[in-house]
């Protein structure tokens, strides 16, 4: 009797100890990331005013706004998404609904995982050699956006695949049982029921594309241009590259303040994009009937 | 008959799905080919072994030295420094979030983690310069705070939300029946987590670790900004170093197109790529074994 009691006490002690350890880990993460956010926001909020968003840089990057960089980042992400989303979602559909050969799926999956593991700078090298040089797009919005597009492709595939897999098999069986074709089932049942998950993945990859620097370093980003991009072949300024350039090029002391401000804008942009994604997902989960 | 026909006939999009799906492989091979072709002149000129194991990276010296061993060592130091704490902490956070936290807390933590996972690497690198570097310099009494440790700390921080988020998805996907079966056998929550849920989510957790490592190894801007950039073979994690990714990003702008330096940077890209692919294949292999 007593032995069982002790054993139970020991097990409960183990459990509480385990829970506290896990909790500490989580707290450590939240605190360090909280420090990062607060530190940069506090230091950068000073230069943020309406002009900062809508004006061009002035006096050799030491004053003025960062409008061209904001616009450039949005355009680069847009090109990337237009490239990667159709391809990524359809790849996921094929993987989940159409693939018949286990071997092929396996090879493809290894390929996608490997592509996801490719360092971001390698996408830059690929973009430089292929889009800029081989295809002759030059350093441009198009080359940079496509490089980013290849980079986010695995993310789009993976998140779409996960979303498709959350649709219960019974839905599919019911649809096929009612005489719908496979495509009708995909189009009318599976995609609509997983759209929130797919959308979440897409929006998260927009955030990723907006924040990436390495792939655009040599494929289309430029430190400074007085002109706004007027075609896919223009070089563009971009927020992340702007931060890097401000920290490494030039010596004006005010550049640091602008760098803080740019970091705040970039983070706000990314945080807003991601908040939208998360909001969609939460709403969709609430609406879900199964 | 009619139904069967209807079911078998594929429309245009359906017929295109296979080729579209294979585009990922095409890109992967395209990247590999691009790196090999453009990097080849450097391998040929310097010699593969001399290139990889050469102790000196002095691309602009006369005569130049193209040995990337210092860069490889630097990459491994910062990656493993980062992973050493990112994996346990990330997995622990995910388990807490998925299994122990109340639904209300969970609904708050998960988005917070994801928002933080999405902070751009250049911001982390910036944070390394302006915040972590002065602290390291002061606390450890080092000549500079921009070193391997700085990069490892930030890379670890960056990898934690990635690892945690994917791990949590894997844990949440474990069926409730498994948990209930464990409880029915008399296990408490902790035992259920350790002996049932985590093993069941093993392959997902493993994926999270892989992604954490590849993210850390491939991170460019963070190490470019925070690791210090010294060219020698790093003697410890406390000295400035120049990982492979940082070398490519930092020097591509100044390398003359078509020069050995230019080709050598692509060759570094190939080495990076090869390390990553080997790592992923090994992971796939282990995962396959684990699922049997």
């Amino acid at each position: 009797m007593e032995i069982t009691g002790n054993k139970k006490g020991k097990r409960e002690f183990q459990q509480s100890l385990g829970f506290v350890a896990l909790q500490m880990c989580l707290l450590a993460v939240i605190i360090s990331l909280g420090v990062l956010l607060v530190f940069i926001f506090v230091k950068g909020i000073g230069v943020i005013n309406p002009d900062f968003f809508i004006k061009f840089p002035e006096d050799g990057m030491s004053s003025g706004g960062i409008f061209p960089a904001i616009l450039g980042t949005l355009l680069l992400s847009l090109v990337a998404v237009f490239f990667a989303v159709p391809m990524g979602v359809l790849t996921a559909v094929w993987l989940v609904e159409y693939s018949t050969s286990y071997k092929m799926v396996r090879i493809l999956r290894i390929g996608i995982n490997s592509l996801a593991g490719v360092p971001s700078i390698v996408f830059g090298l690929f973009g430089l050699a292929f889009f800029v040089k081989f295809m002759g797009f030059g350093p441009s919005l198009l080359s940079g956006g496509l490089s980013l597009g290849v980079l986010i492709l695995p993310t789009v595939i993976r998140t779409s695949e996960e979303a498709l897999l959350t649709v219960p098999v019974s839905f599919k069986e019911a649809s096929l049982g009612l005489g719908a074709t496979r495509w009708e089932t995909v189009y009318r049942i599976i995609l609509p029921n997983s759209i929130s998950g797919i959308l979440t993945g897409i929006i998260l990859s927009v955030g990723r594309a907006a924040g990436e620097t390495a792939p655009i370093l040599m494929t289309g980003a430029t430190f400074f241009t007085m002109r706004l991009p007027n075609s896919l072949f223009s070089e563009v300024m971009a927020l992340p590259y702007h931060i890097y350039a401000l920290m490494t090029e030039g010596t004006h002391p005010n550049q640091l303040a602008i760098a803080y401000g740019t970091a705040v804008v970039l983070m706000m942009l990314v945080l807003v994009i991601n908040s939208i994604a998360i909001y969609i997902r939460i709403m969709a989960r609430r609406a879900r009937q199964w | 008959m009619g139904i069967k026909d209807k079911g078998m006939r594929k429309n245009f999009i359906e017929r295109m799905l296979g080729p579209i799906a294979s585009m990922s492989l095409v890109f992967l091979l395209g990247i590999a080919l691009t790196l090999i072709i453009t990097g080849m002149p450097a391998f040929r000129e310097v010699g593969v072994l001399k290139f990889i194991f050469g102790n000196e990276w002095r691309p602009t010296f006369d005569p130049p030295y193209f040995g990337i061993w210092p860069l490889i060592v630097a990459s491994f130091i910062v990656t493993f420094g980062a992973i050493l704490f990112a994996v346990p902490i990330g997995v622990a956070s995910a388990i807490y979030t998925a299994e122990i936290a109340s639904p209300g807390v969970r609904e708050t933590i998960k988005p917070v983690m994801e928002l933080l996972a999405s902070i751009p690497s250049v911001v982390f690198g910036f944070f390394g310069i302006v915040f972590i570097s002065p602290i390291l310099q002061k606390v450890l009494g080092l000549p500079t705070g921009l070193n391997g440790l700085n990069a490892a700390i930030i890379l670890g921080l960056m990898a934690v939300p990635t690892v945690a988020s994917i791990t949590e998805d894997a844990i949440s996907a474990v069926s409730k029946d498994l948990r209930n079966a464990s409880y029915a056998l008399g296990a408490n929550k902790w035992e259920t987590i350790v002996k049932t849920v985590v093993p069941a989510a093993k392959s997902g957790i493993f994926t999270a670790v892989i992604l954490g490592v590849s993210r850390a190894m491939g991170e460019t801007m963070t190490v470019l900004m925070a690791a210090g950039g010294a060219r020698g073979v790093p003697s410890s994690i406390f000295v400035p170093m120049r990982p492979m990714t940082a070398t490519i990003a930092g020097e591509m702008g100044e390398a003359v197109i078509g020069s050995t330096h230019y080709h050598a940077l692509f060759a570094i890209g190939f080495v990076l790529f090869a390390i990553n692919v080997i790592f992923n294949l090994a992971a796939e292999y282990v995962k396959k074994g684990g699922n049997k």
Side-chain angles (χ1 to χ4, degrees), chain A residues 11 15 19 23 29 83 98 106 108 113-114 117 121 125 129 157 181 183 218 244 260 270 274 281, chain B residues 6 11 14 21 24 27 34 89 96 100 114 118 130 186 188-191 220 224 252 276 280 284 288:
Chain A
R11 287 173 59 204
Q15 166 159 301
F19 284 7
Q23 203 165 13
V29 176
F83 176 76
Y98 284 88
R106 192 159 166 74
L108 194 54
N113 281 344
S114 306
I121 187 69
L125 288 175
I157 296 174
T181 62
W183 177 249
M218 39 221 173
Y244 169 68
Y260 272 114
V270 171
N274 285 279
R281 189 177 54 208
Chain B
K6 203 180 166 197
N11 66 25
E14 284 177 298
S24 302
F27 281 124
T34 305
I89 290 183
Y96 184 84
I100 300 160
E114 276 169 328
S118 64
V130 295
N188 65 24
K189 197 159 193 172
W190 178 247
E191 287 158 347
T220 308
L224 177 60
M252 192 48 100
N276 257 285
N280 272 333
E284 284 288 329
K288 197 179 168 192

Side-chain angles (χ1 to χ4, degrees), chain B residues 206-224:
Chain B
F206 203 67
T207 311
V209 174
I210 296 169
L211 289 180
V213 171
S214 29
R215 184 156 185 208
M217 176 80 89
E219 240 322 303
T220 308
M221 299 318 289
T222 312
V223 293
L224 177 60

